[in-house]
Amino acid sequence: MDIEAFRKAGYQAIDRICDYYASLQERPVVSQVQPGYLLDALPSSAPEHGEQFDLIADDFQKLILPGITHWQHPNFFAYFPTASTFEGLLGDLYSSSVANPTFSWLASPACTELEQVVMDWSAKLFGLGDQFQNHSGVGGGVIQTTASEGLIVICVAARARYLRQNPDAKLEDLVIYTTTQTHSLGVKAGLVLGLQVRALEVKKENEYGLRGEDLRAALEEDHARGKRPFIVVATVGTTNSGAIDYLEEIGEVLKAYPSIWYHVDAAWAGVALACPEFRPLEKLDAINQYAESFCTNFHKWGLVNFDASGLWVRNRRDLIDALDVTPEYLRTKQHDAGLVVDYRNWHLGLGRRFRSLKIWFVLRSYGVEGFQAHIRKGVELNKHFVSLVRASPDFELVTTPSLALSVFRLRLPSTSTLSPDSAEGLAALNDLNRALNLRLSVDNDKIFITQTMLNGMICLRFAIGAQRTEKEHVDRAWDLIKQCATEMVGEWTKNHQV
Ligand SMILES: *Cc1c(COP(=O)(O)O)cnc(C)c1O
């Protein structure tokens, strides 16, 4: 493809992307294809002779789009939002255009320095203190591919520091501390690094947040049996229910264990720190006072197209000491003189994508105000959703709604004599809610929500935050949920002894 052919294909691509967004509402939210649809449709090897680009581009429309689940659809309420924007999309396009792996400052000074700048902008946007900012020269922020990769990086740094400070510790005794509500990223880090993971129990009466006393008890128990917990992964906004650990209590307990690293995973909820009114809820003061690292994903609720996960550390040396690889061919005089940041030593790979560009585009185009307005809109829409759930006698909220996430479930039908607290009652409730989720998944061309399990209870999650979701979408989603429930409960009551 030459420049003129690219110009033509590029204009066409933008036109088609605009059409895609204009017609998004009419598309099924969840892809309706069957497993293997694409494997059957495509040849088993690459073409021997190059093909016309027109044909290739048409096949995107014909073969790929039907197999896409539309995360940008206004009726997407599953998992968590990926609120992407045209600004972010254009950032990725320009970033691709200079295609470069930017592993050192010299490999493309703009990429490194823009990353330093946008990570400081975002730290300020979220209220993170100077200690986490690049201009401090001590701490700093770096963009990771995902929160999961970010945690692996942090565990590597925490492990190296722990072993330096505790030379007698054996690798097989090291333990990563998480809770039963921690995202699977904790387990993943343990698997990748060959380390044990202990998931501490959290209680319903604490809204599924980890308390200091429970952490202390676990630490004492593990130390007594020769285990070496070396990192605590706390969460602000768990995936199951948006729970927030007791960050200050955890910080106070960890004062007695200075070689244990304290990481705060706020992959989904962290971007809400942009609004001062949510900072007390999200325990910003404790993050600034105690945490050694903090993560939030721009690519969830934060208006930046996947992927862009923000990671800030209090002491960049911890990363560099653990991850520095500078063979002769990567040495530069700027690095040797200590004048520049070389981000290859702050993440897992060598090369890295130029992701700061899309964050820069988004933050400039939205401004702090626009970013805050987006977050507030999600929280307001969730308040509206909550009022709808509360107004319906057939449903109940399972946990206190968290920002733009609600966890709810269907109650037992009024004809039921079972107590919801009895084992039979719980089993019946779980059955009922599983059936509702299944029933809703039949209608997943209209809305998409997902279920979860909280202390043995099957619940439904309603996660708001897609950039195009408005009140009317929430209203319609709720109507559909109620309608499915009515149909389903009728059936269910016929088939079950209640
Ligand atoms: C989504 C999420 C993750 C995982 O994020 P990735 O960037 O996909 O790794 C981890 N923790 C929490 C709390 C999340 O919401």
Side-chain angles (χ1 to χ4, degrees), residues 80 145-149 183 185 235-239 265-268 297 299-300 306 309:
F80 45 78
T145 309
T146 60
S148 308
E149 261 189 54
H183 183 272
L185 89 182
T235 308
V236 169
T238 59
T239 308
D265 170 21
W268 160 66
N297 283 347
H299 65 235
K300 280 183 169 165
F306 189 83
S309 179

Side-chain angles (χ1 to χ4, degrees), residues 127-203:
L128 297 176
D130 282 337
Q131 66 276 24
F132 288 112
Q133 297 179 25
N134 288 303
H135 71 76
S136 70
V138 180
V142 54
I143 306 170
Q144 304 282 332
T145 309
T146 60
S148 308
E149 261 189 54
L151 182 65
I152 295 171
V153 168
I154 288 301
C155 285
V156 170
R159 177 176 66 181
R161 191 185 74 178
Y162 189 89
L163 292 173
R164 265 199 314 280
Q165 295 176 354
N166 303 272
D168 61 314
K170 295 199 202 61
L171 268 184
E172 63 264 30
D173 292 329
L174 297 188
V175 189
I176 299 171
Y177 266 24
T178 63
T179 80
T180 55
Q181 300 302 306
T182 304
H183 183 272
S184 58
L185 89 182
V187 172
K188 191 65 158 283
L191 285 174
V192 170
L193 299 171
L195 297 170
Q196 298 174 61
V197 178
R198 177 169 177 189
L200 307 182
E201 287 295 331
V202 288
K203 303 182 186 101

Side-chain angles (χ1 to χ4, degrees), residues 350-379:
L350 172 65
R352 42 209 326 279
R353 290 195 339 107
F354 182 16
R355 283 175 290 227
S356 51
L357 197 61
K358 54 189 172 182
I359 300 176
W360 192 47
F361 281 12
V362 167
L363 291 182
R364 288 185 64 185
S365 176
Y366 276 73
V368 171
E369 272 176 14
F371 196 95
Q372 291 172 330
H374 162 70
I375 298 293
R376 287 182 180 128
K377 183 174 127 190
V379 175

